[in-house]
Amino acid sequence: MTQQSVEPRTGAEDAGPGSRVPAGRSWLDRYFHISERGSTVAREVRGGVTTFMAMAYILLLNPLILGGKDVDDQLLGQSGLITATALAAAATTLLMGFVGKVPLALAAGLSVSGVLASQVAPAMTWQQAMGMCVIYGVIICLLVVTGLREMIMNAIPLALKHGITIGIGLFIALIGLVKAGFVHQGVATPLSLGPTGALTGWPVLIFAVTLLLIFMLQARNIPGAILIGIVVGTVVAIVVNAVGDIDPKAWSSGPPELSGSAVSTPDFSLFGDVEFGGWGDVGVLTVGMIVFTLVLAGFFDAMATIIGVGTEANLADDKGRMPGLSKALFIDGAGGAIGGVAGGSGQTVFVESATGVGEGARTGLASVVTGLFFAACLFFTPLTAIVPAEVAAAALVVIGAMMMQNARHVDWSDRSVAVPVFLTVVLMPFTYTITTGVAAGVISYVAIKVAQGRAREVGAFMWALTLVFVVYFALHPIETWLGVS
């Protein structure tokens, strides 16, 4: 039986046939369905600002990831990369707000950028790499138009969707702890308390103070707790950095200070610098594997994030389906093509959208606010460095804690549910990828159903997903076997 998405309610349905929308509501309220979703304009604005502050690091991190040389030893200009990152994030997030009408913000996907830097650029030029982004974005859009992407998302059992939400919560909490330097990633010791087994330095202390402050404000039910904590933490960081003798390298994103002019001129040199074809030296198989990898990274990371953030925002129905899901999925897919044309990597929905949801965001107005801030960064790039990564990281940990609440919906006594959810939850943070957690959950769910003699309950799409994820886990030996690794 085909499952259809649930369209957003306008509010008029609740009053009965022939009734009108209550008078006195602004056009903004009517367009974004703010009242129907139990929100206010103030909450949406606050949520949009909070999401931007939690995502602002991408304006510095994405250019760093894409700062390497391509096969021809060519580099992408730093100023052009920052402009491309801000431009693509602004365009796609505004599109999500005005058309998708959900509180989901988009920016350069770190998983996609990582694939471009580590696998694509060593094999082809940056112009061809951006062409790969356009191609994978078009493929995902086609999956949306045909209804396959939404059917795949709706085919995932509700328990696994809750597991995905929990896993994303732990994942973004770990990201926050690592970005703050509270948890250290090493070689001999993969994870440890700080770089030496102990916490050192003012930045880590400011992270801890900001984190505790947000938790304390939430315990007192103070509206805007996360945003207040970020603002206070940033002010404290600026003061401490100004009066203390702190090594600039101690701050993971640079010292929190303004130097020189806060206004900059956008550099659109990378816009439209895309090339299709010219892959003769690369080979058809290699191009196919690159596109397959990019589609996986863009498809399932976004799928899991949309499910997780949508559930946290109470936008999903009792089967875990979101209103207007097809629009959100199409815009997310289009983000791959938009990011490629802009020259800033494929765009995808960010898990940091959960920070705005935590502040009460429930509609696309929050995304519009976030998008406008990204647009402003085209001219105020220096301002993006004001909020230290350690302060923004505190918000990620808080949201991770909030998303753990979904554990109460899982029937842990049922092994056919508990085991897949467990693998989904633990593998997202432990492997540092969302896709791996989703893959392990899907495969184990199908395997346990088969072991219980309940294979008929699985469904065709779950079987298809299992096959795709088996290929995903076996991708490296397949590439080796085909001679394209």
Side-chain angles (χ1 to χ4, degrees):
M1 182 176 65
T2 303
Q3 292 178 318
Q4 299 178 347
S5 63
V6 179
E7 292 301 320
R9 298 177 65 85
T10 63
E13 305 96 316
D14 297 329
S19 62
R20 297 182 177 181
V21 175
R25 298 167 63 215
S26 67
W27 69 267
L28 204 63
D29 191 344
R30 295 193 301 272
Y31 184 82
F32 289 106
H33 312 294
I34 296 174
S35 297
E36 287 85 347
R37 297 185 183 179
S39 185
T40 64
V41 172
R43 288 181 185 175
E44 297 302 310
V45 172
R46 189 170 66 228
V49 173
T50 302
T51 296
F52 168 77
M53 295 181 73
M55 291 176 60
Y57 69 86
I58 193 64
L59 297 173
L60 302 174
L61 188 56
N62 191 54
L64 180 65
I65 295 175
L66 300 180
K69 296 180 179 180
D70 62 13
V71 69
D72 292 338
D73 289 332
Q74 299 298 314
L75 294 171
L76 296 175
Q78 185 74 3
S79 61
L81 275 174
I82 294 176
T83 296
T85 302
L87 175 64
T92 50
T93 302
L94 286 171
L95 194 62
M96 183 67 79
F98 282 117
V99 180
K101 299 182 182 180
V102 287
L104 299 171
L106 295 85
L110 296 183
S111 57
V112 174
S113 295
V115 171
L116 291 178
S118 63
Q119 295 180 237
V120 184
M124 58 183 66
T125 66
W126 278 117
Q127 290 76 19
Q128 292 170 335
M130 293 305 164
M132 291 284 99
C133 283
V134 176
I135 292 173
Y136 100 76
V138 171
I139 291 175
I140 292 181
C141 285
L142 289 175
L143 291 174
V144 175
V145 170
T146 58
L148 287 175
R149 191 177 188 186
E150 187 170 354
M151 283 189 281
I152 290 172
M153 290 184 68
N154 288 336
I156 295 178
L158 183 57
L160 268 183
K161 291 180 180 179
H162 288 308
I164 289 170
T165 304
I166 301 167
I168 289 177
L170 289 180
F171 178 59
I172 65 175
L174 180 59
I175 290 176
L177 291 169
V178 171
K179 284 185 178 296
F182 197 94
V183 171
H184 178 71
Q185 284 182 304
V187 178
T189 306
L191 295 176
S192 64
L193 179 66
T196 61
L199 299 177
T200 58
W202 280 100
V204 176
L205 177 60
I206 290 173
F207 158 77
V209 170
T210 304
L211 179 63
L212 288 175
L213 174 61
I214 295 175
F215 278 136
M216 291 166 66
L217 292 173
Q218 285 186 328
R220 296 282 299 178
N221 296 318
I222 303 296
I226 296 177
L227 182 57
I228 293 172
I230 291 176
V231 172
V232 173
T234 300
V235 172
V236 172
I238 293 174
V239 173
V240 169
N241 186 70
V243 301
D245 186 18
I246 302 177
D247 184 356
K249 296 181 179 179
W251 302 94
S252 59
S253 59
E257 59 184 7
L258 273 178
S259 57
S261 175
V263 181
S264 60
T265 302
D267 178 1
F268 296 107
S269 59
L270 299 181
F271 184 83
D273 193 12
V274 180
E275 181 180 333
F276 302 99
W279 303 314
D281 296 334
V282 179
V284 177
L285 286 177
T286 299
V287 171
M289 285 297 180
I290 288 173
V291 173
F292 178 72
T293 302
L294 287 171
V295 169
L296 279 180
F299 187 107
F300 291 105
D301 275 17
M303 182 194 75
T305 303
I306 291 172
I307 290 174
V309 177
T311 302
E312 186 67 20
N314 295 322
L315 296 180
D317 63 12
D318 57 358
K319 294 184 179 180
R321 296 172 298 181
M322 278 180 56
L325 179 60
S326 59
K327 292 180 181 178
L329 291 175
F330 186 87
I331 295 168
D332 176 80
I338 293 172
V341 172
S345 181
Q347 309 294 291
T348 188
V349 173
F350 258 51
V351 293
E352 283 83 354
S353 301
T355 59
V357 170
E359 284 298 315
R362 297 292 182 271
T363 77
L365 179 58
S367 296
V368 171
V369 172
T370 303
L372 290 175
F373 269 88
F374 273 118
C377 286
L378 290 170
F379 306 95
F380 297 96
T381 300
L383 291 177
T384 61
I386 293 181
V387 179
E390 289 79 5
V391 172
L396 297 182
V397 177
V398 171
I399 294 303
M402 294 170 63
M403 295 177 76
M404 285 294 296
Q405 298 177 19
N406 284 273
R408 70 182 185 275
H409 300 302
V410 179
D411 183 3
W412 296 101
S413 63
D414 183 354
R415 288 189 177 275
S416 67
V417 169
V419 172
V421 169
F422 168 76
L423 291 176
T424 300
V425 169
V426 299
L427 286 180
M428 282 190 192
F430 288 174
T431 64
Y432 227 61
T433 68
I434 293 174
T435 303
T436 298
V438 177
V442 168
I443 293 174
S444 60
Y445 176 85
V446 173
I448 292 176
K449 287 293 186 182
V450 171
Q452 293 178 329
R454 300 161 62 186
R456 292 184 179 180
E457 298 179 12
V458 173
F461 277 104
M462 286 295 287
W463 280 108
L465 278 179
T466 300
L467 178 60
V468 170
F469 283 132
V470 167
V471 173
Y472 167 76
F473 281 124
L475 192 57
H476 180 70
I478 289 175
E479 289 178 332
T480 304
W481 177 60
L482 294 175
V484 297
S485 60

